[in-house]
Amino acid sequence: GENVEQHPSTLSVQEGDSAVIKCTYSDSASNYFPWYKQELGKGPQLIIDIRSNVGEKKDQRIAVTLNKTAKHFSLHITETQPEDSAVYFCAAGKWKNYGQNFVFGPGTRLSVLP
Amino acid sequence: NAGVTQTPKFQVLKTGQSMTLQCAQDMNHEYMSWYRQDPGMGLRLIHYSVGAGITDQGEVPNGYNVSRSTTEDFPLRLLSAAPSQTSVYFCASSYSFVWQGSYSYNEQFFGPGTRLTVL
């Protein structure tokens, strides 16, 4: 079945620095790649997503890149702030039977040090 | 809008007991799903539904049942709880639209989760 790997598992950066999280997926049929942020005690929340027909997408300090040939996609956060500290999950989605199924990576715990 | 709500927030069961985790959404979303989250493993899909009367299995469906009688509600039933089902459970919902000739589902809105412990 589909497998999504995510690295690193933990990441510490100084406030103002950039953070990069990388994911790889195994199923070439996957066509939708969201990134979620999860704060302690809460459900995940979408921060950015990208579809398979696009190579890059940016939203203010957050950007995602997709390399379909290599089957990997990355999250880039610039000018990090303490409120960016959370667990980040990548996911790969594809159509299956009645709807789109998602496989999530194991998560990256990001700590932004003031 | 309340978004996606889940009850209860916490639950402790004994092995063999049954219970139902409740999930409701008020956004008129067609797509709803259940995930479990275990340390170091991310979220894994249990079951999903694309509308009333239509459900399908995800990655880890064994030991769980679902049904969808209304657009708003998507309960998850544990028939005979086992310690391996100790986890945090999240319900999510999503709207759909047509993309490249097919229905596509994008942003999922997650509930706050239910922390279940099975002794």
Side-chain angles (χ1 to χ4, degrees):
Chain A
E2 170 76 282
N3 182 50
V4 176
E5 296 182 356
Q6 183 173 346
H7 298 280
S9 57
T10 60
L11 179 61
S12 293
V13 299
Q14 290 295 133
E15 182 177 359
D17 287 350
S18 296
V20 180
I21 303 171
K22 298 181 178 182
C23 288
T24 60
Y25 61 99
S26 59
D27 192 338
S28 57
S30 295
N31 59 7
Y32 174 64
F33 307 93
W35 285 89
Y36 288 87
K37 175 183 180 182
Q38 186 177 27
E39 297 175 338
L40 191 62
K42 296 184 178 180
Q45 184 173 14
L46 182 76
I47 55 173
I48 196 167
D49 57 8
I50 190 167
R51 298 188 183 278
S52 58
N53 62 339
V54 176
E56 184 174 359
K57 183 177 179 181
K58 187 174 182 180
D59 183 4
Q60 299 182 340
R61 297 187 297 110
I62 297 173
V64 58
T65 58
L66 171 65
N67 183 329
K68 286 192 300 181
T69 303
K71 296 197 188 76
H72 67 71
F73 55 113
S74 300
L75 176 71
H76 305 254
I77 305 175
T78 59
E79 301 173 14
T80 54
Q81 301 166 1
E83 50 265 38
D84 293 329
S85 295
V87 179
Y88 291 81
F89 292 96
C90 63
K94 69 172 185 179
W95 184 265
K96 177 195 171 190
N97 295 342
Y98 304 111
Q100 195 161 31
N101 277 198
F102 295 93
V103 177
F104 283 76
T108 295
R109 183 173 300 278
L110 173 65
S111 298
V112 180
L113 308 174
Chain B
N1 287 350
V4 180
T5 58
Q6 291 183 239
T7 57
K9 287 189 180 298
F10 303 94
Q11 183 69 51
V12 179
L13 292 178
K14 294 181 179 179
T15 297
Q17 287 185 316
S18 63
M19 80 158 295
T20 299
L21 307 184
Q22 301 292 343
C23 174
Q25 53 92 9
D26 60 359
M27 297 173 282
N28 202 31
H29 286 169
E30 299 157 326
Y31 184 89
M32 295 185 74
S33 54
W34 276 101
Y35 294 87
R36 59 177 289 172
Q37 184 175 38
D38 302 296
M41 298 186 72
L43 292 95
R44 291 183 292 168
L45 181 65
I46 304 172
H47 286 285
Y48 69 98
S49 169
V50 297
I54 306 173
T55 64
D56 196 12
Q57 296 180 349
E59 182 184 354
V60 288
N62 292 341
Y64 307 95
N65 272 3
V66 293
S67 61
R68 183 101 176 265
S69 56
T70 67
T71 300
E72 295 78 19
D73 301 299
F74 190 42
L76 178 72
R77 282 182 288 276
L78 282 71
L79 304 177
S80 178
S84 60
Q85 294 178 306
T86 293
S87 188
V88 180
Y89 291 84
F90 289 99
C91 177
S93 74
S94 175
Y95 60 90
S96 65
F97 63 94
V98 177
W99 183 65
Q100 294 187 340
S102 299
Y103 277 103
S104 178
Y105 303 82
N106 55 8
E107 178 176 3
Q108 292 191 92
F109 295 86
F110 283 84
T114 293
R115 184 174 293 275
L116 175 67
T117 301
V118 182
L119 304 175

